[in-house]
Amino acid sequence: MTFEDRILRLKEEIETAKAKSQHDAEEFRIKYLGSKGLFKELFNDFKRVSSEEKRQFGKVINEVKQTAERKVEEWKASLSSESNTSSELDLTRPGMAQAPGAQHPITIIKDEVIEIFRAIGFSVAEGPEIEDDWHNFSALNFPPEHPARDMQDTFFVENPDGGEPHVLRTHTSSVQVRVMENEKPPIRIIAPGRVFRNEDISARSHCIFHQIEGLYIDEGVTFADMKQTLEYFAKEFFGKSKIRLRPSYFPFTEPSAEMDVYWGLETELDYRITKGTGWLEVMGCGMVDPAVLKSSGIDPDKYSGFAFGMGLERSAMQRFHIPDIRMMFENDIRFLQQFRSAL
Ligand code: PHE
């Protein structure tokens, strides 16, 4: 048989071949395409034919081979559904391992605070991390010479429009202003977010940290409403029912206060985290200064309200006994895996 005859015969065999089962398909594959199959043989002999014949038959052989491969693929796909009965599924095989992620301690605390305030009608608001001077300072009643605007505290960034420099927001209070500018009372929002201060990094403080801001504006909102709301929060978040409000100062609230919760002084740990006082400093708060309402477009004769802002890192450190704030930003997987799974 000439080389040409062999090819033509192979071609015909392959084109007319049929398979009724997976088994037939596999037999066909082994016979023609297997490592000792007819194509292998043909290619071996092909090496020895004249270059004239090589030119003549090379293309045909490849085409026939491709036809054979296509047929096998088609058979395997179409015949598989018929023969794929449940007896072929090994139900005793172990399942695929799931590798659930864990939630970051800050996320856990943040979500918990949001949930506590959501239950009493607060919704979540957000604002940009790069702020203009107006939303971070001026609208909040910071006079131009206020020390908080100093280079020491604030990261300035270039203003792409060439005006006065922008800032990385130093607190989430900037979101208060944005919400008041855009919404009409009643306003009840909670604003979680990252804030930035140009401070030395140590075990207790970082230049990047997180706050949650709260704002409640409506007709006739009083200091008593604020105290009641913060008491509710202390009960839900710490499981403690005694709070106190110490006079304090913020440019944007009047009067201003620091809210402490009575933690207790039973264990050595209580001593440590309350610095021996039994009281835990929780947040800054106060009645929104009428000048702030006014500069944000809200009529201070008609509306009043309160605001508060708390840091999240300290609560996370207390809750999870994290000794160093930097651990929360190093992304060491061994640290991160210890917290509640996200599933
Ligand atoms: N923005 C203040 C801070 O950074 C906290 C605060 C918020 C105080 C709202 C009063 C009212 O510390």
Side-chain angles (χ1 to χ4, degrees):
M1 214 181 339
T2 64
F3 197 63
E4 181 174 13
D5 286 342
R6 280 174 66 194
I7 297 171
L8 291 176
R9 188 153 136 204
L10 201 61
K11 184 167 186 268
E12 191 182 327
E13 273 178 27
I14 284 171
E15 280 171 357
T16 55
K18 287 196 169 49
K20 287 201 205 67
S21 64
Q22 287 282 343
H23 184 74
D24 292 350
E26 182 61 8
E27 277 201 332
F28 174 92
R29 190 190 67 77
I30 294 169
K31 179 174 174 194
Y32 294 99
L33 301 165
S35 57
K36 291 184 186 122
L38 291 175
F39 275 104
K40 189 80 180 180
E41 243 174 61
L42 201 65
F43 279 119
N44 280 339
D45 298 342
F46 184 71
K47 282 180 211 145
R48 288 190 287 272
V49 300
S50 67
S51 47
E52 161 79 23
E53 283 176 306
K54 275 195 181 126
R55 228 173 299 122
Q56 207 180 338
F57 302 125
K59 197 163 161 241
V60 189
I61 299 178
N62 272 321
E63 274 168 13
V64 177
K65 185 169 180 239
Q66 277 166 16
T67 309
E69 285 166 348
R70 206 166 39 241
K71 283 199 133 175
V72 171
E73 254 171 53
E74 277 168 19
W75 287 332
K76 295 226 156 157
S78 64
L79 295 169
S80 68
S81 50
E82 293 156 41
S83 54
N84 192 7
T85 57
S86 57
S87 63
E88 285 184 16
L89 283 180
D90 182 357
L91 298 177
T92 63
R93 281 185 66 183
M96 298 278 227
Q98 298 274 348
Q103 280 181 312
H104 195 279
I106 297 287
T107 307
I108 297 172
I109 297 292
K110 180 188 79 180
D111 287 351
E112 200 174 306
V113 176
I114 290 174
E115 187 51 36
I116 290 169
F117 281 100
R118 195 200 55 77
I120 54 168
F122 284 70
S123 53
V124 173
E126 282 183 327
E129 292 179 344
I130 299 178
E131 264 300 2
D132 47 35
D133 180 274
W134 170 255
H135 291 97
N136 196 77
F137 292 130
S138 296
L140 288 166
N141 230 8
F142 281 82
E145 71 286 359
H146 195 282
R149 292 175 172 226
D150 267 11
M151 290 299 284
Q152 283 173 337
D153 296 315
T154 309
F155 288 113
F156 292 94
V157 285
E158 203 177 312
N159 178 345
D161 302 329
E164 61 181 357
H166 286 166
V167 302
L168 297 186
R169 67 178 173 196
T170 59
H171 51 185
T172 43
S173 301
S174 55
V175 186
Q176 279 187 43
V177 179
R178 289 188 174 270
V179 172
M180 286 192 282
E181 283 173 342
N182 293 309
E183 286 174 31
K184 291 198 170 13
I187 292 171
R188 247 181 267 130
I189 59 102
I190 196 103
R194 261 201 310 191
V195 301
F196 308 83
R197 289 187 198 172
N198 194 354
E199 274 165 19
D200 288 342
I201 298 173
S202 70
R204 308 292 311 165
S205 71
H206 208 287
C207 58
I208 301 175
F209 55 102
H210 296 75
Q211 289 188 329
I212 279 205
E213 191 84 6
L215 177 69
Y216 180 23
I217 310 277
D218 202 353
E219 288 179 45
V221 176
T222 67
F223 197 85
D225 294 319
M226 179 176 89
K227 190 173 177 202
Q228 191 71 54
T229 306
L230 299 184
E231 237 168 48
Y232 157 79
F233 170 73
K235 211 171 283 168
E236 296 291 317
F237 186 74
F238 297 104
K240 310 276 182 189
S241 48
K242 199 154 110 191
I243 66 165
R244 72 178 180 192
L245 293 165
R246 273 181 298 116
S248 184
Y249 173 76
F250 300 101
F252 41 95
T253 47
E254 180 58 36
S256 304
E258 289 290 336
M259 190 269 254
D260 301 340
V261 55
Y262 189 69
W263 183 261
L265 257 189
E266 277 155 32
T267 67
E268 204 183 314
L269 186 69
D270 296 345
Y271 256 87
R272 194 140 42 85
I273 65 178
T274 67
K275 298 186 191 110
T277 66
W279 291 92
L280 203 61
E281 281 181 32
V282 177
M283 61 171 90
C285 57
M287 301 305 289
V288 180
D289 194 303
V292 174
L293 293 175
K294 206 163 161 212
S295 54
S296 310
I298 288 181
D299 180 0
D301 294 329
K302 189 164 177 209
Y303 296 106
S304 57
F306 61 82
F308 53 89
M310 79 178 258
L312 296 183
E313 273 74 4
R314 195 144 35 106
S315 290
M317 290 168 78
Q318 277 155 9
R319 173 79 61 88
F320 301 115
H321 305 293
I322 300 169
D324 189 320
I325 193 171
R326 291 168 290 198
M327 298 173 97
M328 287 193 278
F329 304 117
E330 280 164 354
N331 286 333
D332 184 330
I333 198 92
R334 294 164 303 179
F335 171 79
L336 296 171
Q337 271 170 342
Q338 299 175 78
F339 303 95
R340 190 201 295 148
S341 136
L343 288 182

